[in-house]
């Protein structure tokens, strides 16, 4: 029973830390990809050497829009980028503290088994 308690505590800690890590990596990856795509879309839109139809074709080839009509084509993507910026910049330290708390709590659980 002692070994099972230690194993479950460690498995719980690893799963919790992996969950926070996976969420952070996925969020940062999505943020960077969306930011890069929107910058490329802006560059295509401001390229005066391209005809209007060619700009639209290149923008749609890069990322299919969720909306229509000019700047509203990528309204949802711009809103998503703003939300992701808040998450990426605001949750770094809380996520690290969460991971530290899980690890300290797990170590405390294992140590309490010996007491």
């Amino acid at each position: 029973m002692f070994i099972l308690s230690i194993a479950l505590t460690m498995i719980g800690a690893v799963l919790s830390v992996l969950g926070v890590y996976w969420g952070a990596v996925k969020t940062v990856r999505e943020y960077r990809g969306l930011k890069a795509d929107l910058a490329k879309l802006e560059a295509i839109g401001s390229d005066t050497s391209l005809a209007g139809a060619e700009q639209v074709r290149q923008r749609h080839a890069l990322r299919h829009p969720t909306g229509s009509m000019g700047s509203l084509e990528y309204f949802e993507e711009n809103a998503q980028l703003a939300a992701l910026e808040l998450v990426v910049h605001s949750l770094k330290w809380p996520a690290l503290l969460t991971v530290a708390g899980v690890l300290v709590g797990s170590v405390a659980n294992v140590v309490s088994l010996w007491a």
Side-chain angles (χ1 to χ4, degrees):
M1 190 59 127
F2 178 72
I3 299 297
L4 180 62
S5 295
I6 292 174
L8 290 176
T9 300
M10 290 298 129
I11 290 170
V14 168
L15 290 176
S16 298
V17 170
L18 285 177
V20 170
Y21 177 76
W22 182 18
V25 167
K26 184 177 180 212
T27 300
V28 169
R29 186 178 297 140
E30 187 174 341
Y31 167 73
R32 288 180 180 159
L34 186 57
K35 187 174 181 178
D37 282 356
L38 289 175
K40 290 175 189 173
L41 290 169
E42 180 67 30
I44 292 169
S46 63
D47 187 355
T48 57
S49 68
L50 297 174
E54 180 61 20
Q55 284 182 344
V56 171
R57 188 194 67 71
Q58 284 188 14
R59 283 195 327 258
H60 290 194
L62 178 64
R63 182 180 276 267
H64 189 71
T66 55
S68 61
M69 299 194 56
S71 64
L72 295 178
E73 276 186 328
Y74 296 99
F75 178 79
E76 185 176 316
E77 288 84 354
N78 282 295
Q80 183 180 8
L81 179 63
L84 285 171
E85 282 178 351
L86 289 172
V87 169
V88 167
H89 296 299
S90 300
L91 291 181
K92 176 184 177 184
W93 291 111
L96 290 174
L97 286 175
T98 301
V99 168
V102 166
L103 294 176
V104 169
S106 297
V107 169
N109 283 338
V110 170
V111 168
S112 74
L113 295 172
W114 275 290

